[in-house]
Amino acid sequence: MPEKYRASATLAARTGLRQGEAFGRTVDRVDFLLRQLTVDRQLVTIPDGRPTSRRPRRRRPSGRCRSRRSSSMRWRPTWPLGPPTSSSSPPKSAAPSTARVFRSRLATGGRRAGLSGVNMHSLRHSCASLLIRHGESVKTVQARLSHASAAETLDTYSHLWPDSDDRTRAAVDAVLGRVADSLRTDAVH
């Protein structure tokens, strides 16, 4: 993927943002010190093709962003974020044509990496899958993806959580497995 689009794809995969939320982000909504992104607008295209913005509201941990030094020796992010905008106007940096170009570059980058079907929604699913794989709770995944309820999260992702049989076996083995092993070892000696 071209460098100018790579950071947006990484941000979407790290945060689980919906497409409209990702395209509606602006630099004034990122707190780089707290590593937090405020999601309070999204860019959508209405039937006549004009961009408009809606205003959901929540905060997301944004993970690390790479930065580079500018000529003034101040650190600045390499995320391709738009300029601050008033809440009544859509972000100027994420016009629908830019969104189309980004989606095309994302799909092409995925194919070059040997992956099929890479799109903004698959990046969102990847974020959820990674959270689940690393032991996050249903409530945490629900909050990160802004699902209306834990039931919605479970309906979509329950197959990714380890089943209770695996967890109970592991819990019993963690405690009693040592006892059984010591009994077998003592019986041999």
Side-chain angles (χ1 to χ4, degrees), residues 21-172:
E21 295 166 345
F23 295 144
R25 74 196 192 287
T26 54
V27 75
D28 63 322
R29 298 301 191 257
V30 180
D31 185 328
F32 293 100
L33 293 176
L34 293 178
R35 294 176 28 189
Q36 211 169 43
L37 174 67
T38 298
V39 180
D40 61 353
R41 60 175 64 133
Q42 35 181 324
L43 185 74
V44 295
T45 304
I46 54 177
D48 68 2
R50 291 181 300 130
T52 185
S53 60
R54 290 190 283 196
R55 298 161 98 201
R57 177 86 178 157
R58 66 188 180 284
R59 289 194 175 275
R60 294 271 181 87
S62 62
R64 295 184 187 139
C65 75
R66 293 175 305 148
S67 55
R68 60 178 175 233
R69 287 192 185 258
S70 67
S71 58
S72 65
M73 299 304 286
R74 296 165 119 195
W75 289 98
R76 63 186 174 100
T78 59
W79 289 342
L81 300 171
T85 63
S86 70
S87 59
S88 62
S89 64
K92 293 175 177 41
S93 67
S97 62
T98 304
R100 271 193 298 276
V101 169
F102 177 78
R103 286 191 301 265
S104 171
R105 298 292 189 273
L106 184 60
T108 301
R111 281 192 299 276
R112 286 183 181 155
L115 306 170
S116 62
V118 176
N119 56 43
M120 290 294 286
H121 203 68
S122 65
L123 294 178
R124 182 171 164 79
H125 284 304
S126 294
C127 176
S129 300
L130 288 170
L131 292 173
I132 294 165
R133 181 176 181 204
H134 289 278
E136 292 298 337
S137 70
V138 173
K139 292 301 282 183
T140 299
V141 177
Q142 172 200 352
R144 178 62 73 93
L145 298 179
S146 301
H147 285 162
S149 68
E152 179 182 353
T153 305
L154 285 169
D155 286 346
T156 308
Y157 298 108
S158 62
H159 65 284
L160 297 177
W161 266 282
D163 68 16
S164 59
D165 288 344
D166 291 341
R167 284 195 316 267
T168 55
R169 241 183 255 114
V172 170

